[in-house]
Amino acid sequence: MLLAFVNVMLYFSNGALEDRAEARMQYIEQAKSIGSLYRQVAQALAHLAIAKNDPDVKNLLTSEGFNLTPSSSATGSEGKQP
């Protein structure tokens, strides 16, 4: 009887842990897509900052960890330094 009770408790505990793990996996997947969007926005800002020579936007991107290096093209490019 005691073993049956322990088995039921472990079953419910396992279900709760699985729910938490699933929620964390969903959060990670959402963070990946948001990270991609963040990089695209930062890249667009970098192109504009270089093209218009905007020091405020350049400082903002630099403070977020982006290294702005103009390329030989007219619009320029930027690279992310970890």
Side-chain angles (χ1 to χ4, degrees), residues 8-19:
V8 169
M9 294 304 294
L10 288 174
Y11 174 79
F12 287 118
S13 176
N14 189 32
L17 289 174
E18 287 177 356
D19 290 344

Side-chain angles (χ1 to χ4, degrees), residues 1-62:
M1 184 68 148
L2 178 61
L3 289 177
F5 177 73
V6 170
N7 190 26
V8 169
M9 294 304 294
L10 288 174
Y11 174 79
F12 287 118
S13 176
N14 189 32
L17 289 174
E18 287 177 356
D19 290 344
R20 286 175 46 195
E22 184 178 331
R24 288 179 181 175
M25 288 173 50
Q26 183 180 15
Y27 176 80
I28 289 169
E29 289 300 318
Q30 290 173 345
K32 285 181 185 178
S33 64
I34 291 172
S36 175
L37 177 62
Y38 173 76
R39 282 188 299 277
Q40 290 174 359
V41 168
Q43 185 177 19
L45 278 173
H47 285 288
L48 286 172
I50 291 172
K52 300 210 182 270
N53 198 20
D54 188 336
D56 292 332
V57 176
K58 286 180 179 180
N59 290 337
L60 172 68
L61 290 169
T62 302

